[in-house]
Amino acid sequence: MKEVYVNVRENIELVKGSIHKMVFVCPDLPEFLPGQFINLAVGNYEYGALLRRPISVFKHDAAAKTFEIVFEVKGKGTKFFSRLKGGFLPATLFLGNGFTIPAGTKKVALIGGGMGCPPLYSVIEKYKKEGIKFYTYLGFSSREKAVCLEDFAAVSDKLTIATDDGSIGEKDFITNVFMKDVAKIKPDLILSCGPVPMFRSLKALNLDIPTYISMEARMGCGIGACYVCACATISGNRRVCRDGTVFDIKEVLL
Ligand SMILES: Cc1cc2nc3c(=O)[nH]c(=O)nc-3n(C[C@H](O)[C@H](O)[C@H](O)COP(=O)(O)OP(=O)(O)OC[C@H]3O[C@@H](n4cnc5c(N)ncnc54)[C@H](O)[C@@H]3O)c2cc1C
Ligand code: FES
């Protein structure tokens, strides 16, 4: 974890008025694990938004000293980020325990929902060179919000899409679509990132496959000091920012 200033190199509007991709340069780029997030300051605090905003990393390039995020405009902080054309922002990089894939794993199913999809790209980015096969299942509300598909198509062994309205891919929940394929794929591991209702559906499938989920929570400090981000687990409350964000699905009380 490191305190740095990140330089905005590009800010691309992927969906009008809603979803953006930002590319940052950081000469002092720390080590990164897939699934980790950054805590990004809303300017230099002159906008009355004191708390930093947690956003997951989409892509990370250690050699180029760059990384990318994809975010949806929700409120004050993300609106501010969406308007940036350059400049520097204070940030804490990189936070959370991230996803790890044990040695010997051959097939991984990635299951993403909405803005939880982009961070899964960083998993393939890190582990693809180890010869692991990635079966990627991404669920969105509609075609309009289905971002980063070309990126995933380029690196996944198979990419499957589902939307709530059927405007692209199957008209179903992505967990149902995955369930239809799971016996055929036989993944050794499931990694997932998305909203809690999706995790509940995933847990309800009751699969005998190790499954790890990246939880989201409202955050204060992002570094384990304030306990704002507590989530209930079978061994008591845990901090999403420090003990997670990745937890074994069996441990979290969803
Ligand atoms: C570990 C982590 C990783 C995240 N990664 C991403 C990402 O890659 N892309 C992305 O678009 N968003 C991500 N989020 C959510 C993002 O942090 C919030 O959308 C953002 O902080 C909202 O700030 P704001 O000032 O725009 O809105 P605010 O004015 O603070 O809030 C507006 C609305 O946004 C929603 N919101 C606020 N905080 C969160 C939160 N922590 N989780 C979910 N919804 C929230 C609430 O509905 C709230 O009413 C992540 C959150 C966490 C905890
Ligand atoms: S946000 Fe402060 S402990 Fe997690």
Side-chain angles (χ1 to χ4, degrees):
M1 174 174 85
K2 206 175 227 174
E3 266 311 298
V4 294
Y5 275 85
V6 291
N7 181 204
V8 179
R9 173 180 279 178
E10 273 186 275
N11 190 356
I12 302 159
E13 192 177 50
L14 300 179
V15 178
K16 199 163 171 36
S18 169
I19 301 177
H20 280 243
K21 179 171 87 169
M22 280 175 97
V23 183
F24 294 99
V25 188
C26 177
D28 212 9
L29 200 63
E31 293 270 303
F32 169 73
L33 292 171
Q36 284 189 305
F37 67 99
I38 67 168
N39 220 5
L40 191 59
V42 184
N44 284 300
Y45 310 110
E46 65 274 37
Y47 296 91
L50 283 180
L51 293 177
R52 294 181 178 197
R53 298 318 196 243
I55 306 282
S56 300
V57 172
F58 168 46
K59 292 183 177 177
H60 175 274
D61 187 335
K65 308 271 185 210
T66 61
F67 69 93
E68 301 179 19
I69 60 171
V70 176
F71 65 91
E72 184 163 15
V73 176
K74 291 276 187 178
K76 199 172 195 164
T78 45
K79 194 169 280 173
F80 169 83
F81 299 148
S82 73
R83 291 176 179 153
L84 290 172
K85 303 235 180 306
F88 291 83
L89 290 178
T92 320
L93 318 181
F94 290 106
L95 299 162
N97 55 356
F99 288 112
T100 43
I101 298 185
T105 304
K106 292 190 172 58
K107 291 191 264 182
V108 176
L110 299 175
I111 302 180
M115 294 315 296
C117 295
L120 293 173
Y121 183 92
S122 66
V123 178
I124 313 182
E125 196 176 49
K126 174 167 166 76
Y127 286 102
K128 187 77 186 169
K129 56 184 176 297
E130 295 181 17
I132 297 168
K133 282 198 181 321
F134 286 96
Y135 299 84
T136 308
Y137 289 80
L138 305 180
F140 301 95
S141 55
S142 67
R143 172 190 284 269
E144 195 208 1
K145 296 277 170 104
V147 295
C148 308
L149 297 187
E150 284 180 15
D151 301 279
F152 277 102
V155 295
S156 301
D157 290 276
K158 186 162 187 284
L159 172 63
T160 306
I161 314 288
T163 46
D164 297 345
D165 64 1
S167 50
I168 183 170
E170 286 201 46
K171 185 179 181 197
D172 204 344
F173 290 134
I174 195 65
T175 43
N176 293 340
V177 177
F178 169 64
M179 189 57 186
K180 284 188 235 160
D181 290 353
V182 69
K184 203 167 51 194
I185 305 170
K186 297 192 180 65
D188 310 310
L189 179 70
I190 300 170
L191 304 178
S192 183
C193 190
V196 166
M198 190 187 81
F199 295 148
R200 285 196 194 110
S201 306
L202 190 57
K203 198 167 190 172
L205 299 180
N206 234 342
L207 297 168
D208 193 17
I209 301 169
T211 302
Y212 290 84
I213 56 175
S214 180
M215 291 290 291
E216 254 197 35
R218 293 303 293 248
M219 287 189 180
C221 67
I223 55 168
C226 72
Y227 284 78
V228 161
C229 64
C231 83
T233 74
I234 52 172
S235 47
N237 280 349
R238 309 282 302 278
R239 297 161 300 179
V240 170
C241 71
R242 189 69 185 246
D243 305 317
T245 57
V246 177
F247 295 94
D248 186 330
I249 199 166
K250 290 200 288 263
E251 283 181 18
V252 186
L253 302 175
L254 293 166

